[in-house]
Every structure is written in structure tokens, then in C-alpha cells.
Coordinates of all heavy atoms in Angstrom, one line a residue:
M1 N 122.3 86.9 84.2 CA 122.2 86.5 85.5 C 121.1 87.3 86.3 O 121.3 88.5 86.5 CB 123.6 86.7 86.2 CG 124.0 88.1 86.7 SD 125.6 88.2 87.3 CE 126.3 89.3 86.1
P2 N 120.0 86.6 86.5 CA 118.9 87.3 87.1 C 119.1 87.6 88.5 O 119.8 86.9 89.2 CB 117.7 86.3 86.9 CG 118.4 85.0 86.8 CD 119.7 85.2 86.2
A3 N 118.4 88.6 89.0 CA 118.5 89.0 90.4 C 117.1 89.5 90.9 O 116.3 89.7 90.1 CB 119.6 90.1 90.6
R4 N 117.0 89.7 92.2 CA 115.8 90.3 92.8 C 116.2 91.4 93.7 O 117.2 91.3 94.4 CB 114.9 89.2 93.5 CG 115.6 88.6 94.6 CD 114.6 87.5 95.1 NE 115.2 87.0 96.5 CZ 114.6 87.0 97.6 NH1 113.3 87.4 97.7 NH2 115.1 86.5 98.7
I5 N 115.3 92.4 93.6 CA 115.5 93.6 94.5 C 114.3 93.6 95.5 O 113.2 93.5 95.1 CB 115.5 94.9 93.7 CG1 116.8 94.9 92.8 CG2 115.5 96.1 94.7 CD1 116.8 96.0 91.8
Y6 N 114.6 93.7 96.8 CA 113.6 93.7 97.8 C 114.0 94.5 99.0 O 115.1 94.8 99.2 CB 113.2 92.2 98.2 CG 114.3 91.5 99.0 CD1 114.4 91.5 100.3 CD2 115.3 90.9 98.1 CE1 115.5 90.8 100.9 CE2 116.3 90.1 98.8 CZ 116.3 90.1 100.1 OH 117.4 89.4 100.8
Q7 N 113.0 95.0 99.8 CA 113.3 95.6 101.0 C 113.5 94.7 102.2 O 112.7 93.7 102.3 CB 112.3 96.7 101.4 CG 112.6 97.7 102.4 CD 111.6 98.8 102.5 OE1 110.5 98.7 102.0 NE2 112.0 99.9 103.0
R8 N 114.5 94.8 102.9 CA 114.9 93.9 104.0 C 113.7 93.8 105.0 O 113.3 94.9 105.5 CB 116.2 94.4 104.7 CG 116.7 93.4 105.6 CD 117.9 93.8 106.3 NE 119.0 94.3 105.4 CZ 120.0 93.5 104.8 NH1 120.0 92.2 105.4 NH2 120.9 93.8 104.1
P9 N 113.2 92.7 105.4 CA 112.0 92.6 106.4 C 112.6 92.8 107.8 O 113.8 92.7 108.1 CB 111.5 91.1 106.1 CG 112.8 90.4 105.6 CD 113.6 91.3 104.9
K10 N 111.6 93.0 108.6 CA 112.0 93.2 110.0 C 112.3 91.9 110.7 O 111.7 90.8 110.3 CB 110.8 93.7 110.8 CG 110.9 94.0 112.2 CD 109.7 94.6 112.8 CE 109.3 94.2 114.2 NZ 109.7 93.0 114.8
N11 N 113.4 91.9 111.5 CA 113.9 90.7 112.1 C 112.8 90.2 113.1 O 112.3 90.9 113.9 CB 115.2 90.9 112.8 CG 115.8 89.7 113.3 OD1 115.2 88.6 113.3 ND2 117.0 89.8 113.9
A12 N 112.3 88.9 113.0 CA 111.4 88.4 113.9 C 111.8 88.2 115.3 O 111.0 87.9 116.2 CB 110.7 87.1 113.3
M13 N 113.1 88.0 115.5 CA 113.7 87.7 116.8 C 113.8 89.0 117.7 O 114.1 88.9 118.9 CB 115.1 87.1 116.6 CG 115.0 85.8 115.8 SD 113.9 84.6 116.5 CE 114.8 84.1 118.0
Q14 N 113.7 90.2 117.1 CA 113.8 91.4 118.0 C 112.7 92.4 117.6 O 112.2 92.2 116.5 CB 115.2 92.1 117.7 CG 116.3 91.2 118.1 CD 117.7 91.8 117.9 OE1 117.7 92.9 117.5 NE2 118.7 91.1 118.2
S15 N 112.4 93.3 118.5 CA 111.4 94.2 118.2 C 111.8 95.4 117.5 O 111.0 96.2 117.0 CB 110.8 94.6 119.6 OG 111.9 95.3 120.4
G16 N 113.1 95.7 117.4 CA 113.6 96.9 116.7 C 113.5 96.8 115.2 O 113.1 95.7 114.6
K17 N 113.6 97.9 114.5 CA 113.4 98.0 113.2 C 114.7 98.5 112.3 O 114.6 99.1 111.4 CB 112.2 98.9 112.7 CG 110.9 98.4 113.2 CD 109.8 99.4 112.8 CE 108.5 98.8 113.4 NZ 107.4 99.7 113.0
A18 N 115.8 98.1 112.9 CA 117.0 98.4 112.4 C 117.2 97.8 111.0 O 116.9 96.6 110.8 CB 118.3 98.1 113.3
R19 N 117.8 98.5 110.1 CA 118.2 98.1 108.7 C 116.9 97.7 107.9 O 117.0 97.1 106.9 CB 119.1 96.9 108.8 CG 120.4 97.3 109.5 CD 121.4 96.2 109.5 NE 121.7 95.8 108.1 CZ 122.6 94.8 107.8 NH1 122.9 93.9 108.8 NH2 122.8 94.5 106.6
T20 N 115.7 98.1 108.3 CA 114.5 97.8 107.5 C 114.3 98.8 106.4 O 113.5 98.5 105.5 CB 113.3 97.7 108.3 OG1 113.2 98.9 109.0 CG2 113.4 96.6 109.4
D21 N 114.9 99.8 106.3 CA 114.8 100.8 105.3 C 115.9 100.6 104.2 O 115.7 101.2 103.2 CB 114.9 102.2 105.8 CG 116.3 102.4 106.5 OD1 117.0 101.4 106.9 OD2 116.7 103.6 106.7
E22 N 116.7 99.5 104.3 CA 117.5 99.2 103.1 C 116.9 98.3 102.2 O 116.0 97.5 102.4 CB 118.7 98.4 103.8 CG 119.7 99.1 104.7 CD 120.8 98.2 105.1 OE1 120.8 97.0 104.9 OE2 121.7 98.8 105.8
W23 N 117.4 98.5 100.8 CA 117.0 97.7 99.8 C 118.2 96.7 99.4 O 119.3 97.2 99.5 CB 116.6 98.6 98.6 CG 115.2 99.2 98.9 CD1 115.1 100.3 99.5 CD2 114.0 98.8 98.4 NE1 113.7 100.7 99.5 CE2 113.1 99.7 98.8 CE3 113.5 97.7 97.6 CZ2 111.7 99.6 98.6 CZ3 112.2 97.6 97.4 CH2 111.3 98.5 97.8
V24 N 117.9 95.5 99.1 CA 118.8 94.5 98.8 C 118.7 94.0 97.4 O 117.6 93.5 97.0 CB 118.7 93.3 99.9 CG1 119.8 92.2 99.6 CG2 118.9 93.8 101.3
L25 N 119.8 93.9 96.7 CA 119.9 93.2 95.4 C 120.6 91.9 95.6 O 121.7 91.8 96.2 CB 120.8 94.0 94.5 CG 120.8 93.5 93.0 CD1 120.6 94.6 92.0 CD2 122.0 92.8 92.8
E26 N 119.9 90.8 95.3 CA 120.3 89.4 95.6 C 120.3 88.6 94.4 O 119.2 88.6 93.7 CB 119.6 88.8 96.7 CG 120.0 87.5 97.2 CD 119.0 87.1 98.3 OE1 117.9 86.8 98.1 OE2 119.6 86.9 99.4
F27 N 121.3 87.9 93.9 CA 121.4 87.1 92.8 C 120.6 85.8 93.0 O 120.7 85.1 94.1 CB 122.7 86.9 92.2 CG 123.5 88.1 91.8 CD1 124.3 88.8 92.6 CD2 123.3 88.6 90.6 CE1 125.0 89.9 92.2 CE2 123.8 89.8 90.1 CZ 124.7 90.4 91.0
E28 N 120.0 85.3 92.0 CA 119.2 84.0 92.1 C 120.2 83.0 91.7 O 121.2 83.1 91.0 CB 118.0 84.0 91.1 CG 117.0 85.0 91.5 CD 115.8 85.1 90.5 OE1 115.8 84.3 89.5 OE2 114.9 85.8 90.7
Q29 N 119.9 81.7 92.2 CA 120.8 80.6 91.9 C 120.7 80.2 90.4 O 119.7 80.1 89.8 CB 120.5 79.4 92.7 CG 120.7 79.6 94.3 CD 120.5 78.4 95.0 OE1 119.9 77.4 94.5 NE2 120.9 78.4 96.3
S30 N 121.9 79.9 89.9 CA 122.0 79.5 88.5 C 122.1 77.9 88.3 O 121.8 77.4 87.2 CB 123.2 80.2 87.7 OG 124.4 79.7 88.4
E31 N 122.4 77.3 89.4 CA 122.5 75.8 89.3 C 121.9 75.3 90.6 O 121.9 75.9 91.6 CB 123.9 75.3 89.1 CG 124.8 75.6 90.2 CD 126.2 75.2 90.0 OE1 126.9 75.6 88.9 OE2 126.8 74.4 90.8
A32 N 121.4 74.0 90.5 CA 120.8 73.3 91.7 C 121.8 73.0 92.8 O 123.0 72.8 92.5 CB 120.1 72.1 91.2
R33 N 121.3 73.0 93.9 CA 122.2 72.6 95.1 C 122.2 71.1 95.2 O 121.2 70.4 94.8 CB 121.7 73.2 96.4 CG 121.7 74.7 96.5 CD 121.1 75.1 97.8 NE 121.3 76.6 97.9 CZ 122.0 77.1 98.9 NH1 122.7 76.4 99.8 NH2 122.2 78.4 98.9
R34 N 123.4 70.6 95.7 CA 123.5 69.2 95.8 C 124.2 68.8 97.1 O 125.1 69.6 97.5 CB 124.2 68.5 94.6 CG 125.5 69.2 94.3 CD 126.1 68.7 92.9 NE 127.4 69.3 92.7 CZ 127.6 70.6 92.3 NH1 126.6 71.4 92.2 NH2 128.9 70.9 92.2
P35 N 124.0 67.7 97.7 CA 124.8 67.3 98.8 C 126.3 67.0 98.5 O 126.5 66.3 97.6 CB 124.0 66.1 99.5 CG 123.3 65.5 98.2 CD 123.0 66.7 97.3
D36 N 127.1 67.4 99.4 CA 128.5 67.1 99.3 C 128.7 65.6 99.7 O 128.2 65.1 100.7 CB 129.3 68.0 100.1 CG 130.9 67.8 100.1 OD1 131.3 68.1 99.0 OD2 131.5 67.2 101.1
P37 N 129.4 64.8 98.9 CA 129.5 63.4 99.2 C 130.3 63.1 100.6 O 130.0 62.2 101.2 CB 130.2 62.7 98.0 CG 130.7 63.8 97.3 CD 130.0 65.1 97.6
L38 N 131.2 63.9 100.8 CA 132.1 63.6 102.0 C 131.5 64.2 103.3 O 131.3 63.5 104.2 CB 133.5 64.4 101.8 CG 134.5 64.3 103.0 CD1 134.8 62.8 103.2 CD2 135.7 65.1 102.7
M39 N 131.0 65.5 103.3 CA 130.5 66.1 104.5 C 129.0 66.0 104.7 O 128.5 66.1 105.8 CB 131.0 67.6 104.7 CG 132.5 67.7 104.7 SD 133.1 67.0 106.2 CE 132.6 68.1 107.4
G40 N 128.3 65.9 103.5 CA 126.8 65.8 103.6 C 126.2 67.2 103.5 O 125.0 67.3 103.7
W41 N 127.0 68.2 103.5 CA 126.5 69.6 103.5 C 125.9 69.9 102.0 O 126.4 69.3 101.1 CB 127.5 70.6 103.7 CG 128.1 70.6 105.1 CD1 127.5 70.0 106.2 CD2 129.3 71.1 105.5 NE1 128.3 70.1 107.3 CE2 129.4 70.8 106.9 CE3 130.3 71.7 105.0 CZ2 130.6 71.1 107.7 CZ3 131.4 72.0 105.7 CH2 131.5 71.8 106.9
T42 N 124.8 70.8 102.0 CA 124.3 71.1 100.7 C 125.0 72.3 100.2 O 125.1 73.3 100.9 CB 122.7 71.3 100.9 OG1 122.2 70.2 101.5 CG2 122.1 71.6 99.6
G43 N 125.4 72.3 98.9 CA 126.0 73.5 98.4 C 126.0 73.4 96.8 O 125.5 72.4 96.3
S44 N 126.6 74.3 96.2 CA 126.7 74.4 94.7 C 127.9 75.2 94.3 O 128.6 75.8 95.3 CB 125.4 75.1 94.1 OG 125.4 76.4 94.4
G45 N 128.4 75.2 93.2 CA 129.4 75.9 92.6 C 129.1 77.3 92.2 O 130.0 78.0 91.8
D46 N 127.9 77.7 92.5 CA 127.5 79.1 92.1 C 127.8 80.0 93.2 O 127.2 80.0 94.3 CB 126.0 79.1 91.9 CG 125.4 80.5 91.5 OD1 126.2 81.2 90.9 OD2 124.2 80.7 91.8
T47 N 128.8 80.9 92.9 CA 129.3 81.9 94.0 C 128.5 83.1 94.0 O 128.5 83.9 94.9 CB 130.7 82.2 93.8 OG1 130.9 82.7 92.5 CG2 131.6 81.0 94.0
Q48 N 127.8 83.4 92.8 CA 126.9 84.7 92.8 C 125.8 84.6 93.7 O 125.3 85.6 94.1 CB 126.3 84.9 91.4 CG 127.4 85.3 90.4 CD 127.7 86.7 90.5 OE1 128.0 87.3 91.6 NE2 127.8 87.4 89.4
A49 N 125.3 83.5 94.1 CA 124.1 83.2 95.0 C 124.5 83.8 96.4 O 123.7 84.0 97.3 CB 123.6 81.8 95.1
Q50 N 125.8 84.0 96.7 CA 126.2 84.3 98.1 C 126.4 85.9 98.2 O 126.6 86.4 99.2 CB 127.6 83.8 98.3 CG 127.7 82.2 98.3 CD 129.1 81.7 98.4 OE1 130.0 82.4 98.6 NE2 129.2 80.4 98.3
V51 N 126.2 86.6 97.1 CA 126.3 88.0 97.0 C 125.0 88.7 97.3 O 124.0 88.4 96.7 CB 126.8 88.5 95.6 CG1 127.0 90.0 95.5 CG2 128.2 87.8 95.3
Q52 N 125.1 89.7 98.3 CA 124.0 90.5 98.7 C 124.6 91.9 98.7 O 125.4 92.3 99.4 CB 123.4 90.2 100.0 CG 122.4 89.0 100.1 CD 121.8 88.9 101.4 OE1 122.2 89.6 102.3 NE2 120.7 88.1 101.5
L53 N 123.9 92.8 97.9 CA 124.3 94.2 97.9 C 123.2 95.1 98.5 O 122.0 94.9 98.2 CB 124.5 94.7 96.5 CG 125.6 93.9 95.7 CD1 125.6 94.4 94.2 CD2 127.0 94.1 96.3
S54 N 123.5 96.0 99.4 CA 122.6 96.9 100.1 C 122.6 98.2 99.4 O 123.7 98.8 99.1 CB 122.9 96.9 101.6 OG 122.8 95.7 102.1
F55 N 121.4 98.9 99.3 CA 121.2 100.2 98.8 C 120.4 101.0 99.7 O 119.5 100.5 100.3 CB 120.7 100.0 97.4 CG 121.6 99.5 96.3 CD1 121.5 98.1 96.2 CD2 122.6 100.1 95.7 CE1 122.3 97.4 95.3 CE2 123.4 99.4 94.9 CZ 123.3 98.1 94.6
A56 N 120.4 102.3 99.6 CA 119.7 103.2 100.4 C 118.2 103.2 100.0 O 117.3 103.4 100.7 CB 120.3 104.6 100.5
D57 N 118.0 103.2 98.6 CA 116.7 103.2 98.1 C 116.6 102.3 96.8 O 117.6 101.9 96.3 CB 116.2 104.6 97.8 CG 117.2 105.4 96.8 OD1 118.3 104.8 96.5 OD2 116.9 106.5 96.5
V58 N 115.3 102.2 96.4 CA 115.0 101.3 95.2 C 115.6 101.8 93.9 O 116.1 101.0 93.1 CB 113.6 100.9 95.1 CG1 112.8 102.1 94.7 CG2 113.4 99.7 94.2
E59 N 115.6 103.1 93.8 CA 116.2 103.7 92.6 C 117.7 103.5 92.4 O 118.2 103.2 91.3 CB 115.9 105.3 92.6 CG 114.5 105.5 92.2 CD 113.6 105.5 93.4 OE1 114.1 105.4 94.6 OE2 112.4 105.3 93.2
A60 N 118.4 103.5 93.5 CA 119.8 103.2 93.5 C 120.1 101.8 93.1 O 121.0 101.4 92.4 CB 120.5 103.5 94.8
A61 N 119.3 100.8 93.5 CA 119.4 99.4 93.2 C 119.1 99.2 91.8 O 119.8 98.4 91.1 CB 118.5 98.6 94.1
K62 N 118.0 99.9 91.3 CA 117.7 99.8 89.9 C 118.8 100.2 89.0 O 119.1 99.7 87.9 CB 116.4 100.5 89.6 CG 115.2 99.7 89.9 CD 113.9 100.2 89.4 CE 113.4 101.5 90.0 NZ 112.2 101.9 89.5
A63 N 119.4 101.4 89.4 CA 120.4 102.1 88.6 C 121.6 101.2 88.5 O 122.3 101.0 87.5 CB 120.8 103.4 89.2
Y64 N 122.0 100.5 89.6 CA 123.1 99.6 89.6 C 122.9 98.4 88.8 O 123.7 98.0 88.0 CB 123.3 99.1 91.1 CG 124.6 98.2 91.1 CD1 125.8 98.6 91.3 CD2 124.4 96.8 91.1 CE1 126.9 97.7 91.4 CE2 125.5 95.9 91.2 CZ 126.7 96.4 91.3 OH 127.7 95.5 91.4
A65 N 121.7 97.8 88.8 CA 121.4 96.7 88.0 C 121.4 97.1 86.5 O 121.9 96.3 85.7 CB 120.0 96.2 88.4
Q66 N 120.9 98.2 86.1 CA 120.9 98.7 84.7 C 122.3 99.0 84.2 O 122.7 98.6 83.1 CB 120.1 99.8 84.5 CG 118.6 99.6 84.6 CD 117.7 100.9 84.4 OE1 118.2 102.0 84.5 NE2 116.4 100.7 84.4
K67 N 123.1 99.5 85.1 CA 124.5 99.9 84.7 C 125.3 98.6 84.4 O 126.1 98.6 83.5 CB 125.1 100.7 85.9 CG 126.6 101.1 85.6 CD 127.1 101.9 86.7 CE 128.6 102.2 86.5 NZ 129.2 102.9 87.6
H68 N 125.1 97.6 85.2 CA 125.8 96.4 85.0 C 125.2 95.3 84.2 O 125.7 94.1 84.2 CB 126.3 95.8 86.4 CG 127.2 96.8 87.1 ND1 128.5 96.8 86.9 CD2 126.9 97.6 88.2 CE1 129.1 97.7 87.7 NE2 128.1 98.2 88.5
G69 N 124.1 95.6 83.6 CA 123.3 94.7 82.7 C 122.7 93.4 83.4 O 122.6 92.3 82.9
I70 N 122.3 93.8 84.6 CA 121.6 92.7 85.4 C 120.0 92.8 85.2 O 119.5 93.9 85.4 CB 122.0 92.8 86.9 CG1 123.5 92.7 87.0 CG2 121.3 91.8 87.8 CD1 123.9 93.1 88.4
T71 N 119.4 91.7 85.0 CA 118.0 91.7 84.8 C 117.5 91.5 86.2 O 117.7 90.4 86.9 CB 117.4 90.6 83.9 OG1 118.0 89.3 84.4 CG2 117.9 90.9 82.4
A72 N 116.7 92.5 86.7 CA 116.3 92.4 88.1 C 114.8 92.5 88.3 O 114.2 93.3 87.5 CB 116.9 93.5 88.9
R73 N 114.3 91.7 89.1 CA 112.8 91.9 89.5 C 112.7 92.6 90.8 O 113.4 92.2 91.7 CB 112.1 90.5 89.5 CG 112.0 89.8 88.3 CD 111.4 88.4 88.4 NE 112.3 87.5 89.2 CZ 111.8 86.8 90.1 NH1 110.6 86.7 90.6 NH2 112.7 86.0 90.8
I74 N 111.7 93.4 90.9 CA 111.5 94.2 92.1 C 110.3 93.6 92.8 O 109.2 93.6 92.3 CB 111.3 95.7 91.9 CG1 112.6 96.3 91.2 CG2 111.0 96.5 93.1 CD1 112.5 97.6 90.6
H75 N 110.5 93.3 94.1 CA 109.5 92.7 95.0 C 109.0 93.9 95.8 O 109.7 94.4 96.7 CB 109.9 91.6 95.8 CG 110.3 90.3 95.0 ND1 109.4 89.4 94.6 CD2 111.5 89.9 94.5 CE1 110.0 88.5 93.9 NE2 111.3 88.8 93.9
A76 N 107.7 94.3 95.7 CA 107.2 95.4 96.5 C 107.0 95.0 97.9 O 106.7 93.8 98.2 CB 105.9 95.9 95.8
T77 N 107.2 95.9 98.8 CA 107.0 95.6 100.2 C 105.5 95.7 100.6 O 104.8 96.7 100.2 CB 107.7 96.7 101.1 OG1 109.1 96.7 100.6 CG2 107.7 96.4 102.5
P78 N 104.9 94.6 101.3 CA 103.5 94.7 101.6 C 103.3 95.8 102.6 O 104.1 96.1 103.5 CB 103.2 93.2 102.2 CG 104.5 92.8 102.5 CD 105.6 93.4 101.7
P79 N 102.1 96.4 102.6 CA 101.8 97.4 103.6 C 101.6 96.8 105.0 O 101.2 95.7 105.2 CB 100.4 97.9 103.2 CG 99.8 96.8 102.3 CD 101.0 96.1 101.7
K80 N 102.1 97.6 105.9 CA 102.2 97.2 107.4 C 100.8 97.5 108.0 O 100.4 98.6 107.9 CB 103.3 97.8 108.1 CG 104.6 97.4 107.6 CD 105.7 98.1 108.3 CE 107.1 97.5 107.6 NZ 108.1 98.6 107.4
T81 N 100.2 96.5 108.6 CA 99.0 96.8 109.4 C 99.2 96.5 110.8 O 99.8 95.4 111.2 CB 97.8 95.9 108.7 OG1 98.2 94.6 108.9 CG2 97.6 96.3 107.3
L82 N 98.6 97.3 111.6 CA 98.6 97.0 113.1 C 97.4 96.5 113.6 O 96.2 97.0 113.1 CB 98.9 98.4 113.8 CG 100.3 98.9 113.6 CD1 100.5 100.2 114.2 CD2 101.4 98.0 114.1
K83 N 97.3 95.5 114.4 CA 96.2 95.0 115.0 C 96.2 95.5 116.5 O 96.9 94.9 117.3 CB 96.2 93.5 115.0 CG 94.9 92.9 115.5 CD 94.9 91.4 115.4 CE 93.6 90.8 116.0 NZ 93.7 89.3 116.1
L84 N 95.4 96.5 116.7 CA 95.4 97.1 118.1 C 94.4 96.3 119.0 O 93.3 96.0 118.6 CB 94.9 98.6 118.0 CG 95.8 99.5 117.1 CD1 95.2 100.9 117.1 CD2 97.2 99.5 117.7
Q85 N 95.0 95.9 120.2 CA 94.1 95.2 121.1 C 94.5 95.7 122.5 O 95.4 96.3 122.7 CB 94.6 93.7 121.1 CG 94.2 92.9 119.8 CD 94.7 91.5 120.0 OE1 95.5 91.1 120.8 NE2 93.9 90.6 119.3
A86 N 93.5 95.6 123.3 CA 93.6 95.9 124.7 C 93.8 94.6 125.5 O 93.4 93.5 125.1 CB 92.4 96.6 125.3
Y87 N 94.4 94.6 126.6 CA 94.6 93.5 127.6 C 93.2 93.0 128.0 O 93.1 91.7 128.1 CB 95.4 94.0 128.8 CG 95.7 92.8 129.7 CD1 96.5 91.8 129.4 CD2 95.1 92.8 131.0 CE1 96.7 90.8 130.3 CE2 95.2 91.7 131.9 CZ 96.2 90.7 131.5 OH 96.4 89.8 132.4
A88 N 92.2 93.8 128.1 CA 91.0 93.3 128.5 C 90.3 92.4 127.5 O 89.4 91.6 127.9 CB 90.1 94.5 128.8
D89 N 90.7 92.5 126.2 CA 90.1 91.6 125.2 C 90.3 90.2 125.5 O 89.7 89.3 124.9 CB 90.6 92.1 123.8 CG 90.2 93.4 123.4 OD1 89.2 93.9 124.0 OD2 90.8 94.0 122.5
N90 N 91.5 89.9 126.2 CA 91.7 88.4 126.5 C 90.7 87.8 127.3 O 90.7 86.6 127.5 CB 93.1 88.3 127.2 CG 94.3 88.8 126.3 OD1 94.1 88.7 125.1 ND2 95.2 89.3 126.9
F91 N 89.8 88.5 128.1 CA 88.9 88.0 129.0 C 87.5 88.1 128.5 O 86.5 88.0 129.3 CB 89.1 88.7 130.4 CG 90.5 88.6 130.9 CD1 91.4 89.7 130.8 CD2 90.9 87.4 131.4 CE1 92.7 89.5 131.2 CE2 92.2 87.2 131.8 CZ 93.1 88.3 131.8
R92 N 87.3 88.3 127.3 CA 85.9 88.5 126.7 C 85.3 87.1 126.6 O 85.9 86.2 126.2 CB 85.8 89.2 125.5 CG 86.0 90.8 125.7 CD 85.8 91.5 124.5 NE 86.1 92.9 124.8 CZ 86.1 93.8 123.9 NH1 85.6 93.6 122.7 NH2 86.3 95.1 124.3

């Protein structure tokens, strides 16, 4: 059962950076999603895809995956860059 480990991104709807230092282990889907014939909702019988485990650092997530025999890929966090602008730049 493959999984991926990544650092939680900043929420685009708020300016705060809460929970961005957490690392998440998330299982990949093992079967394709299909529409339910009665309700029309998309779903599958794979319950592992609903599991998300949070860890304080990447080493703890790797240790958990190795202990339980989970093959995990680690997605590195891209570096954060700031674009500094002044209000006066809007009128150039």
C-alpha cells in the first residue's frame, strides 16, 4: 500500500500559517473512483484513501512508515520566496 509524505501547505483562504509545520502521511488510492448509480456521488470502496496521519517532523513519518511496512514517497517542500513590492509600484 503506497503512501506519500508531505508538509501541509499554507491555507490559501487565510493569512495565518497554522499547522504548516506538520508532516502528513496520506495513502494513495488503490482503486479507481466511480459514480454511485443512485446518488451520483463519486466514491470507491477504498477506505485507506480517507486516512491522513499527522507527524511533527519528517523523520517521525518515515519511522512510522518503515515500522508498518508502508512504501512511502517523500515530497519535498518548495522554498518560499517573497516578492517585495511597494504601493508606489502600482503607479509606474
Side-chain angles (χ1 to χ4, degrees):
M1 85 185 117
R4 65 184 186 124
I5 298 172
Y6 62 94
Q7 194 168 17
R8 191 181 301 269
K10 182 180 147 328
N11 187 354
M13 300 301 290
Q14 297 183 5
S15 62
K17 295 182 180 179
R19 300 178 66 187
T20 57
D21 55 344
E22 291 181 352
W23 287 82
V24 177
L25 185 138
E26 184 175 67
F27 294 99
E28 295 178 0
Q29 290 186 350
S30 62
E31 64 182 55
R33 292 180 177 243
R34 58 190 182 281
D36 183 71
L38 179 63
M39 298 296 289
W41 296 339
T42 304
S44 69
D46 182 24
T47 57
Q48 286 285 45
Q50 301 172 7
V51 177
Q52 279 190 349
L53 302 173
S54 298
F55 297 94
D57 56 354
V58 68
E59 284 78 22
K62 282 195 285 189
Y64 179 86
Q66 288 177 352
K67 180 180 177 183
H68 294 284
I70 301 168
T71 56
R73 292 181 293 133
I74 299 171
H75 295 276
T77 306
K80 297 177 178 136
T81 58
L82 293 175
K83 184 178 177 185
L84 299 176
Q85 290 183 338
Y87 180 69
D89 293 341
N90 293 333
F91 302 103
R92 286 187 185 184

